[in-house]
């Protein structure tokens, strides 16, 4: 089932931080977005906070991506910032302004996305009355056009017309099970001309009706040919609305079939599979589709009908939760968190985390990727168990779960993506091949460190891991020697550890045999994390005791150079010089 995007809590100054943290407690996955340089980075700053540079651009970006926004500042500021986007019709996320001292909660936009529900939740936490201004909501105590999960409005345009009729004094009947309206103060009358109807049957255009569809219809088909049209025809033949579709069921042999996946997308319904591959694969027609339904674990009181186009329909009297039907195609997304700070994690990685049912990874990184919701399962493990962790991820994903494997930096740089692919390549598990596998890149430590120092990787460079846990030391020596000879800038990952105390000195001996003592060196430690440090030095001055396992070592080429920074130009860094490798070569 679609997961709700956690809200972004925006603050402009330190005076709003306390209220922001109270709201964060109310929405466990929400992050506080702080304006760079305005809020003192003190004990209250959290590494999970997101730092932005310009409020207007940041608000518009959040709005455009559909992220709910709680802005702890004047309502006018928020309105001016998002105003340029309001002309474009599209999904409108909830947008609220909250007084920085928590004394007022003003829902601004996103009436149909539940902004008033959020306003009430926030107001309850802050113990103030919410500033609800929506007439229908004030009069009826609920937004009639925002039915709960599992229900869909037939027509928003008609819905608005219907509510304004009620506001103008019309009364209504309620037909069908609309339990969420039980406590609403609707002007009900048993013989009213107007009716709110809860039905899977399509709306016939009657303007006296507000039709809300329970997502209670499950369709099954055994082949993907022309699936969209056949499903639409099957629904139409029984007078059923497309919005009433709860799920599309196909045989497990159809996992990975892109035509089916596209059809499900086009119809806005999740795709589910049953294990009845042998039943379905061999026969065509409604009988085998019906057989699929019988293995899909549907509610027992469903009415099942066959259609001429080989599709079977099951109609329940309540919404059907697609998570209870058959199983979804499992998903495994291997993500990189970037070096540490939330603003250096790519949005695709954040989206994967928000949708994950299970999160796996080395305990430190899993913790960095949080916080998680109560419905998400976290599987932290020890760093060394990479192949076992990769296999565990596939086992979970092939059972239909949405699994995220976290690495730091980029998942393909000395990290989990290779282990995951090796597990898939060598395990010989056919079910694992059906998993939807994605690898989402991240900002690797070398890139993050280089950016802080300037552009030391501006010309040809190589990345080397100095760890001889998984490769013989002799190979490392040979590679360093060749890299030195090729005059490549070198980024050393895993430079030392307690178990590998001498390797860095040995590596530096090889480098020093050829490269001049004035060669530029950049050391980045815990970049993007609390207590980050960046040091620029030279090969001659570098001591291996300046380096630990949390350090990135960048050794310049013969052309890498440095120059003094003008401190007035650069308020973000205590760094005194810029280091770069020019694009040219002589
Ligand atoms: N996949 C990771 C690298 C994992 S290897 C990435 O792409 O960044 C682990 C090594 O990366 C550490 O020993 C250290 O050398 C470097 N490293 C990882 N995160 C770092 C950070 N935040 N600051 C500096 N170096 C880091």
């Amino acid at each position: 089932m679609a997961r709700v995007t956690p809200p972004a809590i925006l603050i402009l100054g330190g005076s709003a931080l306390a209220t922001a943290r109270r709201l964060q407690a109310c929405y466990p996955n929400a992050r506080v977005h702080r304006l760079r340089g305005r809020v003192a980075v003190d004990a209250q700053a959290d590494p999970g906070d997101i730092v932005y540079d310009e409020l207007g651009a940041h608000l518009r970006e959040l709005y455009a991506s559909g992220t709910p926004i709680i802005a702890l500042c004047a309502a006018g500021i928020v309105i001016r910032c998002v105003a340029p986007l309001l002309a474009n019709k599209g999904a409108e996320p909830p947008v609220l302004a909250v007084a920085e001292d928590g004394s007022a909660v003003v829902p601004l936009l996103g009436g149909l996305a539940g902004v008033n529900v959020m306003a009430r939740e926030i107001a309850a936490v802050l113990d103030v009355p919410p500033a609800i201004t929506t007439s229908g909501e004030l009069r009826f105590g609920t937004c009639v056009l925002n039915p709960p999960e599992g229900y869909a409005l037939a027509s928003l345009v008609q819905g608005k017309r219907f509510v304004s009729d009620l506001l103008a004094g019309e009364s209504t009947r309620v037909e069908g099970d609309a339990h969420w309206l039980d406590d609403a103060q609707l002007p009900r009358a048993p013989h009213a001309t107007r009716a709110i109807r809860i039905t899977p049957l399509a709306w016939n255009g009657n303007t006296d009706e507000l039709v809300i569809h329970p997502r209670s219809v499950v369709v099954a088909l055994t082949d993907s040919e022309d699936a969209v049209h056949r499903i639409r025809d099957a629904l139409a033949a029984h007078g059923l609305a497309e919005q009433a579709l709860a799920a599309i069921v196909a045989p497990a042999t159809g996992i990975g079939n892109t035509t089916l996946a596209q059809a499900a997308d086009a119809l806005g319904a999740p795709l589910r599979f049953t294990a009845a591959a042998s039943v379905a694969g061999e026969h065509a027609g409604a009988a085998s589709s019906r057989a699929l339904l019988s293995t899909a674990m549907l509610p027992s009181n469903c009415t099942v009908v066959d259609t001429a186009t080989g599709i079977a329909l099951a109609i329940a009297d309540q919404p059907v939760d697609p998570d209870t039907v058959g199983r979804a195609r499992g998903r495994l997304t291997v993500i990189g968190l970037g070096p540490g700070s939330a603003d250096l994690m790519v949005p695709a990685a954040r989206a994967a985390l928000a949708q994950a049912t299970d999160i796996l990874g080395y305990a430190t990184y899993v913790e960095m990727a949080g916080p998680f919701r109560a419905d998400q399962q976290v599987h932290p493990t020890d760093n060394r168990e990479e192949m076992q962790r990769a296999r565990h991820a596939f086992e979970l994903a092939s059972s239909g779960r949405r699994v995220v494997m976290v690495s730091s930096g980029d998942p393909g740089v000395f990290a989990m993506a290779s282990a995951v692919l090796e597990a898939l390549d060598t395990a010989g598990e056919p079910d694992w091949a059906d998993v939807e596998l994605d690898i989402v890149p991240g900002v690797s430590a070398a890139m993050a460190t280089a950016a802080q120092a300037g552009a030391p990787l501006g010309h040809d460079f190589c990345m080397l891991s100095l760890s001889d846990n998984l490769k013989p030391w002799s190979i490392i020596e040979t590679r360093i020697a060749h890299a030195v000879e090729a005059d490549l800038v070198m980024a050393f990952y895993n430079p030392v550890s307690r178990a590998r105390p001498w390797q860095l000195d040995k590596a530096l001996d090889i480098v020093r045999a050829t490269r001049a003592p004035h060669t530029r060196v950049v050391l980045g430690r815990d970049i993007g994390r609390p207590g980050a440090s960046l040091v620029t030095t030279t090969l001659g001055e570098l001591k291996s005791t300046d380096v630990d396992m949390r350090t990135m070592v960048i050794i310049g080429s013969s052309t890498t150079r440095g120059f003094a920074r003008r401190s007035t130009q650069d308020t973000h860094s205590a760094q005194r010089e810029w280091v770069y490798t020019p694009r040219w070569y002589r």
Side-chain angles (χ1 to χ4, degrees), residues 336 338-341 365 368 407-416 442-449 463 465 492-496 500 523-529 533 548-553:
S341 61
Y365 303 144
M368 260 166 64
S407 286
S408 77
D410 179 273
V413 176
F414 311 123
M416 283 308 297
V443 176
S444 192
M447 276 76 210
T449 301
M463 292 171 163
S465 168
F492 287 164
Y493 287 74
N494 299 309
V496 277
R500 296 181 288 105
L523 303 178
R525 184 172 190 277
D526 278 341
I527 295 299
R529 301 179 191 170
S533 77
D548 67 6
M549 64 186 292
R550 283 148 62 180
T551 310
M552 162 54 49
V553 181

Side-chain angles (χ1 to χ4, degrees), residues 307-330:
T307 71
T309 55
I311 285 179
L313 298 167
I315 305 148
D317 58 3
Q318 291 287 321
V320 175
D321 178 354
D323 284 352
T324 64
V325 178
R327 72 178 165 92
R329 180 184 184 192

Side-chain angles (χ1 to χ4, degrees), residues 252-279:
T253 47
I255 294 188
N257 177 319
T258 45
T259 315
L260 269 180
Q262 283 162 1
D265 268 358
L267 294 161
L271 195 52
R272 293 293 182 263
F273 302 93
T274 73
S278 56
V279 179

Side-chain angles (χ1 to χ4, degrees), residues 9 17-27 101-102 124-127:
I9 304 170
L17 196 54
T19 308
R21 296 280 181 240
R22 285 174 75 189
L23 298 185
Q24 209 173 8
C26 168
Y27 298 101
D101 63 358
V125 172
L126 300 175
D127 200 18

